Amino acid sequence: MDRANRIIYDQTGKILIQTGEATGDILEHDEITELHCIDIPYGSIDYTKNRITGINIETKQPILEEIPVYVTEEEKRIQELENQLLIAENEKVGGIL
């Protein structure tokens, strides 16, 4: 199947998004009957920890999904060693840390 390049543009004709053409075993574009937009205030979402997966159409608020953090075995071991060093230092100075 061949899929057309869908272009979404603003009232001035400025292109906002292009899907690009596609061919092969792909899904067709969904039919769009309405378009809406919201502005998310700068800094209101930590995009290093969350991603927007959709918009609640009733509240007009973003639906967030937490981005999973994968820690390698090496990173786990380093963290364990750092914790051991902190505990040892804390005991050495008399529990100030």
Side-chain angles (χ1 to χ4, degrees):
M1 176 175 106
D2 294 335
R3 186 176 66 196
N5 180 16
R6 177 171 281 172
I7 299 174
I8 298 176
Y9 57 94
D10 70 9
Q11 64 281 0
T12 68
K14 178 181 173 188
I15 293 174
L16 304 173
I17 299 172
Q18 289 189 61
T19 63
E21 292 181 339
T23 189
D25 187 20
I26 55 170
L27 298 174
E28 292 184 33
H29 287 302
D30 293 332
E31 179 183 352
I32 296 174
T33 58
E34 291 182 34
L35 286 175
H36 301 270
C37 72
I38 61 170
D39 291 323
I40 307 295
Y42 181 86
S44 65
I45 296 174
D46 184 347
Y47 292 102
T48 64
K49 296 179 181 176
N50 297 285
R51 67 176 141 246
I52 299 174
T53 59
I55 303 295
N56 181 315
I57 59 172
E58 292 179 8
T59 65
K60 301 197 179 356
Q61 294 298 310
I63 300 168
L64 302 178
E65 177 180 89
E66 189 172 333
I67 299 171
V69 177
Y70 299 102
V71 180
T72 66
E73 288 302 316
E74 182 178 289
E75 290 170 322
K76 285 181 189 176
R77 183 66 181 138
I78 290 171
Q79 185 64 50
E80 289 171 5
L81 292 171
E82 288 175 347
N83 289 340
Q84 290 173 5
L85 285 171
L86 285 171
I87 290 168
E89 188 64 25
N90 191 39
E91 291 172 357
K92 188 165 86 173
V93 297
I96 296 173
L97 301 177

